């Protein structure tokens, strides 16, 4: 995946997290945010 694809996937993921998962369980936001940041950083070095 390219960096652009990672960013688009991250934005979609955050929309899902903010609209569905976060209201039910706040700790999931931290997990998904860290995963998205790690994927972007790891993708940048490939």
């Amino acid at each position: 995946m390219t960096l652009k694809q990672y960013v688009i996937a991250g934005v979609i993921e955050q929309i899902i997290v903010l609209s569905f998962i976060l209201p039910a369980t706040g700790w999931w936001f931290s997990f998904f945010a860290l995963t998205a940041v790690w994927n972007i950083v790891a993708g940048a070095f490939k």
Side-chain angles (χ1 to χ4, degrees):
M1 290 178 74
T2 65
L3 182 59
K4 182 179 179 182
Q5 289 171 324
Y6 277 118
V7 171
I8 293 170
V11 168
I12 294 169
E13 181 182 58
Q14 292 305 312
I15 291 169
I16 293 169
V17 169
L18 289 171
S19 58
F20 299 106
I21 300 171
L22 185 61
T25 56
W27 68 272
W28 276 101
F29 178 75
S30 298
F31 175 76
F32 281 108
L34 290 173
T35 303
V37 169
W38 174 254
N39 284 337
I40 290 170
V41 171
F45 289 108
K46 286 186 178 180

